[in-house]
Amino acid sequence: MKESTQNQHQQAINRVVDYINSHLNEELSLTALADLSCISQFHFHRIFSSVIGEPIGTYVTRLRLETAAQQLTDSTKSVTDIADNCGYQSLHALSKAFKKQFGVTPSDFRKNPEEYSRIAESRLFTPLHLSPTVEKLPSQSLAYVRIIGKYGDAQLFTDGWNKLGDYMYSRNLLTPFTRWIGISFDSPHITQSDKCRFYACATVSARIKPEGAVGNYTIPTGRFAVYTHCGSYNGLQNMYDNIYRQSEFELRDSVSFEEYVNNPERVSENDLLTKIHIPIK
């Protein structure tokens, strides 16, 4: 396949994935998604599968159920509201699909999510003392490269960040004020590690024109609880586990994100600084 054609497909699927991420509560017809991609319906399914690694229908269903599981874990919303938020027309419809995916009903999952999640597959939980600050941030425009795979996979993440860095450099978008941002859309306690979604991002002064694998993303203005992690990126999951267990704040429906304050190529692993931003009301 020509590189130009491959870039067009990447750009088209980015539009579809971003749309799905923010419209899980709505009907997502395959016809409408194919139209959004500007790819013929005859080819859309295969192209989506080749780029994302699973069929479009499987992808949407999995995201809806994993989002429901995350909300059951992290929020006090009723199961009926969660069903509506995740695109299910009734509590019965969610319960049936949820039990097929996780082996238990949503209500049973909520009572003890750790028993049914993949938390046992991750490293042991280590309690931390947390001292967050609260900040209200303006909206932030980002250029991103999507990475799908195990969080922290050295090759995947090196390739993704290098691709983003090359793009920023070649378009003269790098400034002394550029910030490097990471957005993890999935919890490895719920989503299979090889299907976890991550956006490697850099701040830009205005929305960019999407090119190939590089797309646009905007973090809306809002209040955030900000936690500072010092040390290896391998400790970030334990940091998140502590945050969600100890949080004194009411969470807001928006993405959490990480800001990588210093360059891992210039400081030791023990001196790495990461600011974790959790959206709060």
Side-chain angles (χ1 to χ4, degrees):
M1 181 185 298
K2 291 183 179 179
E3 184 176 356
S4 60
T5 302
Q6 187 176 23
N7 286 339
Q8 289 173 3
H9 289 170
Q10 286 272 8
Q11 185 177 330
I13 299 305
N14 277 349
R15 284 198 303 272
V16 173
V17 168
D18 287 341
Y19 185 86
I20 292 171
N21 289 346
S22 57
H23 293 81
L24 283 176
N25 62 321
E26 301 175 10
E27 181 181 354
L28 295 170
S29 75
L30 299 184
T31 299
L33 294 176
D35 289 345
L36 178 65
S37 72
C38 298
I39 297 173
S40 164
Q41 294 181 36
F42 295 102
H43 305 294
F44 173 69
H45 295 272
R46 290 183 179 178
I47 291 173
F48 187 95
S49 294
S50 69
V51 173
I52 299 300
E54 59 186 319
I56 179 71
T58 303
Y59 180 81
V60 171
T61 298
R62 180 174 62 78
L63 255 60
R64 282 178 164 157
L65 291 172
E66 290 172 356
T67 299
Q70 196 65 56
Q71 291 184 8
L72 288 166
T73 304
D74 298 335
S75 78
T76 57
K77 296 175 183 176
S78 70
V79 181
T80 300
D81 285 343
I82 290 173
D84 185 60
N85 290 342
C86 296
Y88 287 91
Q89 296 182 345
S90 68
L91 175 58
H92 174 73
L94 171 64
S95 296
K96 182 178 179 181
F98 196 92
K99 189 168 185 179
K100 182 178 179 181
Q101 176 81 356
F102 293 101
V104 292
T105 65
S107 296
D108 286 340
F109 185 94
R110 167 166 270 172
K111 291 175 185 176
N112 191 3
E114 293 182 5
E115 180 179 347
Y116 303 110
S117 72
R118 293 183 169 81
I119 195 165
E121 297 176 14
S122 63
R123 57 192 197 78
L124 295 177
F125 173 77
T126 303
L128 300 172
H129 175 70
L130 304 177
S131 300
T133 60
V134 175
E135 299 180 14
K136 184 172 183 180
L137 301 177
S139 64
Q140 301 172 83
S141 295
L142 308 173
Y144 77 82
V145 168
R146 182 185 61 248
I147 301 170
I148 295 181
K150 184 179 180 180
Y151 292 150
D153 182 289
Q155 192 62 55
L156 275 177
F157 277 70
T158 297
D159 290 347
W161 283 110
N162 284 345
K163 186 178 294 184
L164 178 64
D166 291 344
Y167 171 85
M168 295 288 291
Y169 178 78
S170 65
R171 304 307 189 275
N172 295 314
L173 293 173
L174 291 173
T175 76
F177 305 103
T178 299
R179 297 160 61 205
W180 301 95
I181 303 292
I183 303 176
S184 302
F185 288 93
D186 300 299
S187 166
H189 299 333
I190 295 171
T191 302
Q192 291 180 5
S193 61
D194 63 338
K195 291 182 171 61
C196 286
R197 297 165 296 156
F198 180 87
Y199 280 10
C201 310
T203 55
V204 289
S205 59
R207 285 177 62 87
I208 61 165
K209 179 182 179 181
E211 297 182 47
V214 180
N216 277 309
Y217 194 84
T218 301
I219 298 176
T221 185
R223 295 177 76 235
F224 292 85
V226 183
Y227 302 79
T228 300
H229 172 73
C230 183
S232 170
Y233 297 144
N234 292 332
L236 287 173
Q237 185 58 53
N238 186 64
M239 186 76 169
Y240 277 106
D241 291 343
N242 273 271
I243 289 170
Y244 287 115
R245 292 187 188 202
Q246 299 182 35
S247 180
E248 60 197 83
F249 305 103
E250 186 176 357
L251 301 179
R252 178 167 53 85
D253 287 337
S254 188
V255 294
S256 303
F257 67 93
E258 301 159 7
E259 178 183 357
Y260 310 107
V261 178
N262 46 16
N263 189 333
E265 296 181 357
R266 297 180 180 177
V267 301
S268 70
E269 190 173 61
N270 291 335
D271 292 328
L272 289 171
L273 289 178
T274 307
K275 290 187 176 182
I276 298 175
H277 296 69
I278 305 295
I280 59 173
K281 293 184 177 179

